[in-house]
Amino acid sequence: MFRDDFVWGVAASAYQIEGRDPDDGAGATIWDRFIAEGHTPDGYDGSVACDHMHRFREDYALMKQLSIKAYRFSVSWSRLIPDGKGKVNEKAVKLYRDMILSMKENGIEPFLTMYHWELPQALQDEGGWLNDDIVEWFGDYARVIAENFSDICENFITLNEPQCFVGIGYLSGWQAPGNKLPYKETFRIAHNALKAHGKAVINLRKYSSRPVRIGYAPTCGMAYPASNDPEDIEMARKVLFGFYNPMDNWTWNVAWFSDPVILGHYPEEGLKKFAEYLPEITGEDMELIHQPLDFMGQNIYNGYLIAKGDNGEPDFVKRPIGSPKTGCGWPVTPDCLYWGIKMLYDRYRLPFYITENGMSCHDDISLDGKVHDPNRINFLDLYISALQKAVDEGVDVRGYFLWSFLDNMEWDKGYTEKFGIIHVDFETQKRTVKDSAYWYKKVIETNGKVLSINQKPRQVLFLEPVFKEVIWGGNRLKTDWGYDIPSEKTGEFWNASAHKNGVSVVRDGYYKGRKLDELFEECPELFGNMTEDGKKKYDRFPLLVKIIDAQDDLSIQVHPDDEYALKNENGSLGKEECWYILDASEGSSVVLGHNAKSRSELESMISEGRWNELIREIPVKKGDFIRIKPGTVHAIKGGVMLAEIQQNSDITYRLYDYDRLSDGKPRELHVNKCLDVITVPEPETDNVIKNAAEGEKNALVELTDHDRFTVWKITVDNEFSFTQDKDFMTMTVIDGNGIVNGSVVKKGDGFILPCGIGNITLEGQMTIIAASPK
């Protein structure tokens, strides 16, 4: 869990939200000229944006209402010092002091970012970051910040995302000032930016009226391992801090921008790779850059998968087809936050803040007047849960800043992207709280307890089938059910099993890839496996659900009860089961019971091989439901296909197998154990078989209810809804197709409705066999 004083905040930047006023005294930024030259798709600039400079009080009151504890904002350098150096704009001083004081009045802790890409145009005209004098200009700007705001603001961040403002401002030219400079000049710009950072740290501490906390907020895509294999993990680490990008994207690099700041030196690999482009780097430069920091910020949005390739080099693993993306096309990769922050902390060992994380969505006001953004809620939950996982494993993370509070001017994209948890009508400036803001409020108020990592999402658990090849099996699981079976002797598929002989795996969703036995142990709340006094109801997953295709006769067999199995089968459960006949060829039958009147007669019939006298064979047809108690002699005969619901046991005592061979040898028999457990005399079978082919539609029609489990048949005709209030329910679609809570299902699909999932809606034309333990 997150520490009690964890900082839950939101983030924004000045140009993107503040707007301008004709009399505000602000100077022009590089963005004013860049946009005036036509570099945004919608042609709109930041002259109004969210009009935050006039509406900050109501915006901070709204933050308070939403329980937000901290706000990472930026000061516009050209607003505070219109020419970037020299005269200070007192109107800007008053504006930012009023903003900070208003934040504090609303219980919001300010985190002031000095530079969020807004270089004064006057300085750009003098060369901007390419001019070595910018180190002193930025240092003097830090002095002005410290002298005017340190008495009311304790937390300062020097630079935001130097990888971006260097790379896409001066290398690719996608963003302001739109330059495409030679590599050598971009390295000088990057070096000057890091020296300016160091000078700012010195002056913030020197001129502040009290001790302050200072950090730095770089960014980058996070390399993360394609698996938990140690070799993949180490290869991902190597790539994260390495130099694998082409030269036209060289700035998209972690180590080049963080090692000098935190460790005091440029990485050796980079010095060698970039040698021909580097400016003179002196010991004094490195001493200036390497100033003590109180915390490290990191902006993390997405990442990329890395594995160790066969040649020992990194394999940049392609994302699965159809992988999710945000509204602006960025990949959704929550694991990158877990791995990224772990690896960053391992290397730099400073307290961390996630200074930006969020997503752009295609959200707008719906007909009900609200803004529903479930994709953003899902994104944030997955990412913040990944962050908590890292925290739980010892990473020192002090806070999280969601990007962003308001929909805003998204730089070169204009107003085409919406990152906010507050919708802004830019014509009227009306704010509308999105669903994600209310969700984030709950996260803050519970310090993360409502996150899925702590609550375990209740969603339908769709399971991959486990196929079993047997001597009596056939191919109908392929021809009738559409499965890709392993052979023409496939007799069973287990579609809800946590048994060691065939464990189901969750097919998709939040728990994708999890084995059912492990999930049952690690997430008992999904299976109602926890009593009020904290004890477990079940010592193992209690059910096993199968579909059986008997092309030939199964052996005549019997199952033990729990007491006998516990004593004689290494603690296994016994096996009580029931069958629902899915199909039966004309004249089909099953073995159910025996005719021996005494145990001595039973022994005699078995030893003399008088099988026809011993067994009771009864005809069956489609729709018959049969209960098989422990101690009952039974066998499925050829031509029968059925669904079997049983205790979680694979114990079968074979009494007779028709003298057939498997791999040239007779299969093992268990006659002595059979004699131990067979019930003598056999009860009448009249009350253990009934036909359930017809029945009420759109209802849970109970087929059996006994000590171990309850079984129902559900015939869905158009739509049926019910509340799942059992510990859990297994479901198998035995005919037709339809929809389960929005997910499309077909004949043969098996799934589990976990405890607490609530309302279930079944739609379509289909028949389901359901079961729940007791």
Side-chain angles (χ1 to χ4, degrees), residues 8-9 47 148 279 400 405 455 459 495 581 771:
W8 294 101
S47 59
N148 286 282
Y400 171 90
F405 186 61
Q455 294 297 315
Q459 57 183 227
N495 65 354
I581 306 298

Side-chain angles (χ1 to χ4, degrees), residues 9-13 16-17 50 63 68 71-72 301 356-360 376 380 400-408 410 418-423 434 436-437 440:
V10 291
S13 81
Q16 292 179 272
I17 67 168
C50 303
M63 287 185 190
I68 290 165
Y71 180 38
R72 178 182 170 238
Y301 287 92
E356 286 184 28
N357 172 250
M359 76 174 295
S360 170
R376 180 175 285 111
L380 293 173
Y400 171 90
F401 291 89
L402 190 159
W403 186 276
S404 180
F405 186 61
L406 302 170
D407 286 340
N408 55 50
E410 184 53 34
K418 298 180 179 181
F419 276 87
I421 57 172
I422 305 297
H423 177 275
K434 302 180 186 181
S436 59
Y440 192 45

Side-chain angles (χ1 to χ4, degrees), residues 154 156-158 200-201 204-205 212-216 293-295:
E154 184 183 4
F156 297 89
I157 294 169
T158 55
V201 175
L204 283 171
R205 297 200 192 280
V212 294
R213 301 175 67 249
I214 303 173
Y216 167 66
L293 292 179
D294 300 288
F295 63 89

Side-chain angles (χ1 to χ4, degrees), residues 66-363:
L66 293 170
S67 299
I68 290 165
K69 305 302 181 187
Y71 180 38
R72 178 182 170 238
F73 70 106
S74 74
V75 167
S76 171
W77 188 351
S78 64
R79 184 188 291 281
L80 187 62
I81 307 173
D83 292 325
K85 56 185 176 177
K87 185 178 179 181
V88 174
N89 176 12
E90 294 302 326
K91 290 182 179 179
V93 172
K94 183 179 186 306
L95 173 64
Y96 286 123
R97 285 190 68 86
D98 287 348
M99 289 169 63
I100 293 169
L101 290 170
S102 180
M103 291 179 215
K104 295 173 82 72
E105 288 169 2
N106 285 280
I108 299 165
E109 183 70 19
F111 281 68
L112 187 157
T113 300
M114 286 181 56
Y115 187 76
H116 199 128
W117 307 1
E118 300 177 59
L119 187 69
Q121 184 61 47
L123 296 185
Q124 179 62 29
D125 292 342
E126 295 188 43
W129 289 103
L130 194 55
N131 188 330
D132 294 349
D133 290 341
I134 200 167
V135 177
E136 295 301 321
W137 299 339
F138 196 69
D140 197 54
Y141 170 42
R143 175 189 61 80
V144 174
I145 291 283
E147 290 177 342
N148 286 282
F149 308 120
S150 63
D151 61 322
I152 54 176
C153 181
E154 184 183 4
N155 306 289
F156 297 89
I157 294 169
T158 55
L159 301 178
N160 180 77
E161 298 185 339
Q163 291 95 334
C164 288
F165 73 74
V166 177
I168 56 183
Y170 297 92
L171 181 59
S172 69
W174 296 348
Q175 293 190 358
N179 293 346
K180 298 180 180 180
L181 301 180
Y183 296 141
K184 192 165 188 175
E185 293 186 0
T186 62
F187 279 97
R188 176 171 293 278
I189 287 171
H191 190 56
N192 282 342
L194 296 186
K195 288 193 294 181
H197 153 82
K199 188 67 174 180
V201 175
I202 292 171
N203 283 359
L204 283 171
R205 297 200 192 280
K206 180 177 179 180
Y207 294 103
S208 288
S209 61
R210 58 174 177 160
V212 294
R213 301 175 67 249
I214 303 173
Y216 167 66
T219 188
C220 215
M222 296 290 107
Y224 66 102
S227 76
N228 288 323
D229 187 307
E231 291 189 335
D232 286 350
I233 293 171
E234 288 312 305
M235 186 58 72
R237 190 189 308 274
K238 180 181 178 182
V239 171
L240 180 62
F241 299 109
F243 294 81
Y244 290 87
N245 279 336
M247 284 302 300
D248 61 3
N249 192 31
W250 79 261
T251 67
W252 201 236
N253 186 279
V254 171
W256 192 260
F257 288 92
S258 291
D259 279 17
V261 172
I262 310 301
L263 304 181
H265 57 79
Y266 283 104
E268 191 64 31
E269 182 183 357
L271 290 172
K272 292 178 180 178
K273 179 174 181 177
F274 301 143
E276 63 182 294
Y277 306 116
L278 298 180
E280 181 184 5
I281 300 172
T282 68
E284 290 179 353
D285 290 346
M286 299 316 301
E287 185 177 347
L288 176 61
I289 292 169
H290 181 45
Q291 296 299 314
L293 292 179
D294 300 288
F295 63 89
M296 179 88 170
Q298 188 74 28
N299 299 354
I300 298 178
Y301 287 92
N302 54 68
Y304 50 99
L305 289 165
I306 297 294
K308 182 179 180 182
D310 293 338
N311 61 356
E313 291 298 310
D315 180 11
F316 290 77
V317 179
K318 190 175 181 180
R319 291 187 183 92
I321 187 171
S323 294
K325 294 183 178 181
T326 68
C328 61
W330 296 353
V332 177
T333 55
D335 285 348
C336 79
L337 188 50
Y338 165 74
W339 285 108
I341 201 68
K342 272 178 67 76
M343 292 178 180
L344 289 165
Y345 183 67
D346 285 347
R347 188 176 183 94
Y348 299 122
R349 308 307 292 183
L350 278 176
F352 267 87
Y353 289 81
I354 298 300
T355 36
E356 286 184 28
N357 172 250
M359 76 174 295
S360 170
C361 284
H362 295 126
D363 48 40

Side-chain angles (χ1 to χ4, degrees), residues 255-539:
W256 192 260
F257 288 92
S258 291
D259 279 17
V261 172
I262 310 301
L263 304 181
H265 57 79
Y266 283 104
E268 191 64 31
E269 182 183 357
L271 290 172
K272 292 178 180 178
K273 179 174 181 177
F274 301 143
E276 63 182 294
Y277 306 116
L278 298 180
E280 181 184 5
I281 300 172
T282 68
E284 290 179 353
D285 290 346
M286 299 316 301
E287 185 177 347
L288 176 61
I289 292 169
H290 181 45
Q291 296 299 314
L293 292 179
D294 300 288
F295 63 89
M296 179 88 170
Q298 188 74 28
N299 299 354
I300 298 178
Y301 287 92
N302 54 68
Y304 50 99
L305 289 165
I306 297 294
K308 182 179 180 182
D310 293 338
N311 61 356
E313 291 298 310
D315 180 11
F316 290 77
V317 179
K318 190 175 181 180
R319 291 187 183 92
I321 187 171
S323 294
K325 294 183 178 181
T326 68
C328 61
W330 296 353
V332 177
T333 55
D335 285 348
C336 79
L337 188 50
Y338 165 74
W339 285 108
I341 201 68
K342 272 178 67 76
M343 292 178 180
L344 289 165
Y345 183 67
D346 285 347
R347 188 176 183 94
Y348 299 122
R349 308 307 292 183
L350 278 176
F352 267 87
Y353 289 81
I354 298 300
T355 36
E356 286 184 28
N357 172 250
M359 76 174 295
S360 170
C361 284
H362 295 126
D363 48 40
D364 210 345
I365 297 177
S366 299
L367 294 176
D368 61 3
K370 301 177 181 179
V371 180
H372 306 294
D373 54 344
N375 287 358
R376 180 175 285 111
I377 293 172
N378 187 63
F379 176 101
L380 293 173
D381 180 272
L382 292 174
Y383 273 75
I384 303 174
S385 290
L387 180 64
Q388 184 191 308
K389 182 180 177 184
V391 169
D392 291 344
E393 294 177 8
V395 178
D396 186 1
V397 181
R398 304 290 178 89
Y400 171 90
F401 291 89
L402 190 159
W403 186 276
S404 180
F405 186 61
L406 302 170
D407 286 340
N408 55 50
M409 195 276 180
E410 184 53 34
W411 303 115
D412 60 307
K413 303 298 189 297
Y415 295 86
T416 63
E417 303 291 349
K418 298 180 179 181
F419 276 87
I421 57 172
I422 305 297
H423 177 275
V424 178
D425 182 328
F426 295 105
E427 291 290 327
T428 66
Q429 292 299 324
K430 178 184 176 183
R431 273 69 163 149
T432 302
V433 180
K434 302 180 186 181
D435 289 353
S436 59
Y438 292 116
W439 174 86
Y440 192 45
K441 181 176 188 285
K442 293 178 182 176
V443 172
I444 296 169
E445 291 174 346
T446 64
N447 202 31
K449 290 181 181 177
V450 299
L451 293 168
S452 61
I453 191 174
N454 302 314
Q455 294 297 315
K456 305 304 180 188
R458 267 48 170 198
Q459 57 183 227
V460 180
L461 303 175
F462 292 96
L463 304 173
E464 295 282 5
V466 178
F467 295 102
K468 294 290 181 178
E469 296 175 88
V470 285
I471 194 171
W472 43 262
N475 64 0
R476 293 185 64 188
L477 296 176
K478 175 181 180 180
T479 60
D480 295 13
W481 294 67
Y483 278 110
D484 184 15
I485 59 176
S487 76
E488 298 291 303
K489 284 291 185 179
T490 303
E492 302 180 355
F493 77 80
W494 298 5
N495 65 354
S497 169
H499 195 278
K500 64 181 181 179
N501 291 346
V503 179
S504 299
V505 175
V506 181
R507 188 179 71 201
D508 49 31
Y510 182 83
Y511 302 100
K512 180 179 179 179
R514 299 293 301 276
K515 294 181 178 180
L516 186 56
D517 56 347
E518 295 173 356
L519 194 62
F520 184 76
E521 287 298 319
E522 296 170 15
C523 303
E525 60 270 42
L526 296 180
F527 305 94
N529 194 25
M530 195 67 70
T531 61
E532 291 183 1
D533 59 1
K535 297 180 179 179
K536 291 186 176 182
K537 290 184 182 180
Y538 315 108
D539 66 350

